[in-house]
């Protein structure tokens, strides 16, 4: 069976942008599933959840830094659920890599790939858990960002190279006998680590006047968040997040 999904958003200039628009094959044989079009990437846990369903009004700091708030992809995603008692899901994505940490490139072909695995199960009738591991590889071409130099002047830099991101995520959900209408508890967290290799052009405006100010760049960054949300009565919840 195949179904289509389209989610659009109205911009500040009254323009309409497509957030998600894809065709999805569900209930295919041998536990396979496929998605093609524009969709939210399955890198990590929170990224593929629409913001309207988030527990907090904004994304964690780590998601903002490593995924530009939320990573969307134009491409194809394939998933496989193993026929086992313990939930095991493997998946892969390939696409343009149009969004940060990648960029739109001046050539055809795939610009990003993501591999992910999920493992989960139940603990009794009230508790469920899931662990996930993702690996995103993408390429940036003239990825610009602003910073302040030593004199306090804002300059624009440009990065060209490869970006590799690992994400380890986990979630634990509790609800009495699986009924979350009255009481529930949800704990979740994600750890990110990114390595980038390539060339960095410092102060692109000055470089265009006095010549290239480009050098090699190798960087490693990491970050994480953990949060918990407790529903103590219908429609009332309290939560805390550490970034």
């Amino acid at each position: 069976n195949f179904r289509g999904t389209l989610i659009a958003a109205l911009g500040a200039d009254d323009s309409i942008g497509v957030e998600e628009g894809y065709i999805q094959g569900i209930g295919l044989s041998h536990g396979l599933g496929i998605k093609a079009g524009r969709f939210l990437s399955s890198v990590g846990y929170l990224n593929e959840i629409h913001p309207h369903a988030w527990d907090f009004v904004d994304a964690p700091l780590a998601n903002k830094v490593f995924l530009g708030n939320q990573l969307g992809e134009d491409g194809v995603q394939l998933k496989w659920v193993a026929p086992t008692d313990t939930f095991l899901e493997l998946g892969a994505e390939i696409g343009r890599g149009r969004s940060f940490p990648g960029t739109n490139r001046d050539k055809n072909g795939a610009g990003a790939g993501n591999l992910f695995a999920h493992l989960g199960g139940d603990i009794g009738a009230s508790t469920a858990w899931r662990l996930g591991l993702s690996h995103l590889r993408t390429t940036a071409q003239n990825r610009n960002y602003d910073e302040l130099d030593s004199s306090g002047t804002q300059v624009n830099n440009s990065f060209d190279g490869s970006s590799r991101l690992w994400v380890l995520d986990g979630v634990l959900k509790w609800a009495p006998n699986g009924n979350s209408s009255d009481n529930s508890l949800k704990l979740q967290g994600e750890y990110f680590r990114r390595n980038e290799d390539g060339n960095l052009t410092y102060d692109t405006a000055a470089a265009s006047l006095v010549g290239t100010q480009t050098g090699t760049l190798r960087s490693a960054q990491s970050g994480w968040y953990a949060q918990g949300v407790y529903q103590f009565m219908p429609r009332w919840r309290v939560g805390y997040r550490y970034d």
Side-chain angles (χ1 to χ4, degrees):
N1 297 326
F2 288 85
R3 68 181 183 186
T5 299
L6 177 64
I7 301 177
L10 184 65
D13 57 353
D14 293 330
S15 62
I16 297 178
V18 177
E19 293 184 344
E20 295 184 81
Y22 56 84
I23 296 175
Q24 184 177 20
I26 56 177
L28 303 180
S29 61
H30 306 293
L32 292 174
I34 190 170
K35 183 187 294 185
R38 173 167 291 187
F39 52 86
L40 296 175
S41 174
S42 293
V43 55
Y45 176 76
L46 186 66
N47 189 81
E48 64 179 343
I49 300 175
H50 195 275
H52 292 159
W54 289 350
D55 292 312
F56 291 84
V57 70
D58 64 344
L61 176 61
N63 290 68
K64 295 177 180 179
V65 170
F66 294 105
L67 298 173
N69 197 66
Q70 192 169 30
L71 176 63
E73 189 57 272
D74 294 344
V76 178
Q77 179 192 84
L78 183 66
K79 290 183 179 181
W80 175 68
V81 178
T84 57
D85 293 335
T86 300
F87 174 72
L88 173 61
E89 180 182 65
L90 304 176
E93 299 170 352
I94 188 169
R96 287 173 52 195
R98 61 181 175 85
S99 303
F100 181 89
T103 57
N104 273 324
R105 302 179 303 156
D106 296 329
K107 62 179 181 179
N108 296 324
N114 178 42
L115 299 175
F116 57 90
H118 300 137
L119 181 69
D122 297 324
I123 304 174
S126 303
T127 306
W129 61 275
R130 198 195 83 168
L131 295 175
L133 180 65
S134 309
H135 181 55
L136 173 70
R137 299 179 67 95
T138 187
T139 302
Q141 183 182 66
N142 298 324
R143 191 182 76 196
N144 296 309
Y145 69 95
D146 295 327
E147 69 172 357
L148 298 178
D149 65 9
S150 58
S151 66
T153 303
Q154 181 170 287
V155 297
N156 179 264
N157 304 329
S158 178
F159 172 72
D160 291 82
S162 62
S163 179
R164 302 173 304 282
L165 175 68
W166 288 93
V167 185
L168 177 66
D169 64 83
V171 60
L172 180 71
K173 297 181 180 181
W174 171 86
N177 296 315
N179 182 7
S180 60
S181 59
D182 294 327
N183 300 106
S184 66
L185 174 66
K186 180 181 179 183
L187 304 175
Q188 76 182 60
E190 299 184 65
Y191 173 80
F192 299 75
R193 182 170 180 82
R194 181 172 68 196
N195 295 89
E196 293 190 324
D197 296 275
N199 295 317
L200 178 71
T201 300
Y202 169 74
D203 193 357
T204 55
S208 64
L209 297 176
V210 301
T212 303
Q213 303 184 76
T214 300
T216 58
L217 171 71
R218 298 185 65 187
S219 68
Q221 297 170 279
S222 62
W224 59 277
Y225 77 90
Q227 68 182 52
V229 176
Y230 176 61
Q231 179 176 302
F232 55 91
M233 61 184 297
R235 294 181 293 182
W236 286 89
R237 297 185 299 162
V238 60
Y240 180 80
R241 184 177 78 200
Y242 181 85
D243 301 84

